[in-house]
């Protein structure tokens, strides 16, 4: 690689003196091709938000020295400051391996005009890691012991590729991480975060809580909580995905406890306004919430599924410990299974069709009796893309819920705006869980 002249920042002065911010630069042609989802950027973005470090830009660049240098130059020039002013943190992922296309470290050294120095202790560590695996270190891995002059080692406890912490000019700090998520996350938590705290980067913290809603649209939810959407600290922002509406409450404070103290009254106010449409927060799922409610009542549930093909049972069994309340299910895809196992009336099937309220009722009662549970859920519908008619279009789904008292509730859904077979099946299974949740409440 032909050495570049030492990097010269521009005189552009975009932010007030003392401003600090971070940018993320992810290196890897595989990211540009879409072969790998860029989870590293998502992880680092969340971490920066938690630490209260401002973050305005992300860049993805392929394994090309010239383009990597251009991406770094562009980022470093954004907040170029007079010498000595604290300004910017650039976080890199990818390009630290031993292969010829792993170019991040040497490209940075070339850009800032620094020689590469071999570190004997790093080389010994890499060799020891290969020996522990019963293998000899390939010669190509020797390059991982080469770091720019003046750079500190960012240790990699789980892999052979160390990173660097380097300030090639005043006001600019670089940190490099491998692209392997497990290695990158360990390095971030064990070394990078303590370093940033020690250097005064972390002066406040941002804590977020995600409230989760089912049975209400994003727009309707936003109207109900409109008074909260315009406030400052904490902020409230609506989101939506796959039939679910969300509200993210974020607060900035000097400590996690202080931030939570800001969030709690806002959360309580929103829950009071919205009621049962709010089913949980953060990592809660409809299945996990239903499981907790069943456990609290010492009750059990079974399922009978047609169009979802076992998807409802999978959601329930995704929760560890679900055997305490989930007895099992019947995938009654064929009508004869509905008749023989769930005791659905054949005459009813002939007259009303499999996709009908009465068949959903009988499926739920059949599952409850067969599997000896307190509750039972059933789903029958048309997931598409074929099988619909003018009276029973694609997306029509009936859900049955047999109660401990022997009653059966039915719910009719028409999932319009068809977005594919999986979409109908997923919304059906989640809507069934929500029906059980509301009745358990």
């Amino acid at each position: 690689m032909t050495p570049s002249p030492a990097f010269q920042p521009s005189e552009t002065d975009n932010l007030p003196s003392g401003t600090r911010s971070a940018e993320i630069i992810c290196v890897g042609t595989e990211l540009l091709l879409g072969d790998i989802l860029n989870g590293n950027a998502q992880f680092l973005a969340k971490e920066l938000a938690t630490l209260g470090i401002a973050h305005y830009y992300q860049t993805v660049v392929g394994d090309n020295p010239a383009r990597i240098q251009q991406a770094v130059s562009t980022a470093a020039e954004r907040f170029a400051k007079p010498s000595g002013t604290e300004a910017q943190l650039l976080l890199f992922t990818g390009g630290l391996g031993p292969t010829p296309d792993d170019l991040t470290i040497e490209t940075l050294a070339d850009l800032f005009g620094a020689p590469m120095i071999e570190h004997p202790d790093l080389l010994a560590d890499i060799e020891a890691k290969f020996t522990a695996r019963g293998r000899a270190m390939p010669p190509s891995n020797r390059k991982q012991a080469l770091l720019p002059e003046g750079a500190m080692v960012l240790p990699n406890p789980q892999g052979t590729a160390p990173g660097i912490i380097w300030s090639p000019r005043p006001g600019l700090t670089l940190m490099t991480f491998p692209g392997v998520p497990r290695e990158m996350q360990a390095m971030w938590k064990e070394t990078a975060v303590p370093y940033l705290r020690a250097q005064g980067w972390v002066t406040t913290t941002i804590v977020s809580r995600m409230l989760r809603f089912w049975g209400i649209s994003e727009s309707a939810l936003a109207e109900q909580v409109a008074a909260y959407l315009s406030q400052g600290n904490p902020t409230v922002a609506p989101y939506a995905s796959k039939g679910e509406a969300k509200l993210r409450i974020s607060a900035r404070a000097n400590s996690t406890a202080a931030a939570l103290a800001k969030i709690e009254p806002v959360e309580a106010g929103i829950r009071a306004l919205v009621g049962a449409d709010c089913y949980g927060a953060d990592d809660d799922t409809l299945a996990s919430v239903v499981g907790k409610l069943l456990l609290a009542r010492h009750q059990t549930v079974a399922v009978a599924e047609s169009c979802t093909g076992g998807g409802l049972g999978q959601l329930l069994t995704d929760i560890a410990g679900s055997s305490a309340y989930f007895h099992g299910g019947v995938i009654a895809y064929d009508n004869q299974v509905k008749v023989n196992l769930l005791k659905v009336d054949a005459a009813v099937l002939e007259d009303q069709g499999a996709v009908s309220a009465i068949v959903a009722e009988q499926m739920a009662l059949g599952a409850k009796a067969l599997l000896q549970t307190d509750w039972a859920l059933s789903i029958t519908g048309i997931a598409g893309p074929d099988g619909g008619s003018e009276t029973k279009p694609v997306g029509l789904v009936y859900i049955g819920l047999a109660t401990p008292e022997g009653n059966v509730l039915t719910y009719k859904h028409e999932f319009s705006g068809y977005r594919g077979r999986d979409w109908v099946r997923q919304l059906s299974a989640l809507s069934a869980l929500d029906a059980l949740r509301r009745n358990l409440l």
Side-chain angles (χ1 to χ4, degrees), residues 354-380:
V355 182
S356 59
I358 190 168
V359 169
E361 290 178 13
Q362 293 187 6
M363 287 174 64
L365 286 172
K368 184 176 185 294
L370 180 66
L371 294 166
Q372 296 294 294
T373 55
D374 298 293
W375 301 83
L377 281 166
S378 67
I379 302 176
T380 179

Side-chain angles (χ1 to χ4, degrees), residues 202-348:
V202 184
T203 56
T204 61
T205 187
I206 297 176
V207 176
S208 295
R209 175 160 296 158
M210 187 72 78
L211 298 185
R212 299 180 177 276
F213 304 81
W214 193 268
I216 185 171
S217 68
E218 180 188 11
S219 56
L221 177 61
E223 288 180 6
Q224 284 196 30
V225 301
Y228 289 99
L229 301 182
S230 59
Q231 65 181 37
N233 187 17
T235 60
V236 179
Y239 298 88
S241 64
K242 297 181 180 178
E244 180 181 44
K246 305 174 187 176
L247 287 176
R248 188 195 66 203
I249 310 172
S250 298
R252 181 189 293 269
N254 293 327
S255 68
T256 298
L260 288 172
K262 292 177 180 288
I263 288 173
E264 286 167 2
V266 174
E267 178 181 355
I270 290 172
R271 285 180 180 268
L273 277 174
V274 179
D277 286 341
C278 180
Y279 74 81
D282 297 331
D283 295 330
D284 287 337
T285 65
L286 282 166
S288 70
V289 170
V290 163
K292 291 174 184 175
L293 291 170
L294 287 169
L295 284 172
R297 295 178 59 157
H298 306 288
Q299 292 182 330
T300 56
V301 66
V303 300
E305 304 182 60
S306 183
C307 67
T308 47
L312 176 56
Q314 180 180 347
L315 289 175
L316 285 162
T317 55
D318 279 343
I319 308 304
S322 56
S323 59
Y325 52 82
F326 178 59
H327 280 195
V330 175
I331 302 175
Y333 215 62
D334 184 81
N335 282 348
Q336 285 306 306
V337 179
K338 296 180 177 70
V339 173
N340 295 335
L341 283 183
L342 298 175
K343 308 307 179 185
V344 174
D345 190 328
V348 168

Side-chain angles (χ1 to χ4, degrees), residues 141-214:
N141 282 87
R142 191 179 189 109
K143 69 178 282 190
Q144 293 177 310
L146 293 169
L147 304 183
E149 185 176 40
M152 296 184 293
V153 176
L154 205 170
N156 183 347
Q158 300 186 7
T160 62
I164 62 171
I165 302 175
W166 186 30
S167 295
R169 68 161 172 81
L172 179 66
T173 299
L174 313 179
M175 289 185 176
T176 66
F177 302 86
V180 180
R182 173 175 51 84
E183 297 179 19
M184 182 273 294
Q185 292 176 21
M187 295 164 68
W188 173 260
K189 292 175 180 177
E190 294 177 22
T191 303
V193 171
Y195 174 84
L196 291 171
R197 290 187 184 279
Q199 295 297 311
W201 275 84
V202 184
T203 56
T204 61
T205 187
I206 297 176
V207 176
S208 295
R209 175 160 296 158
M210 187 72 78
L211 298 185
R212 299 180 177 276
F213 304 81
W214 193 268

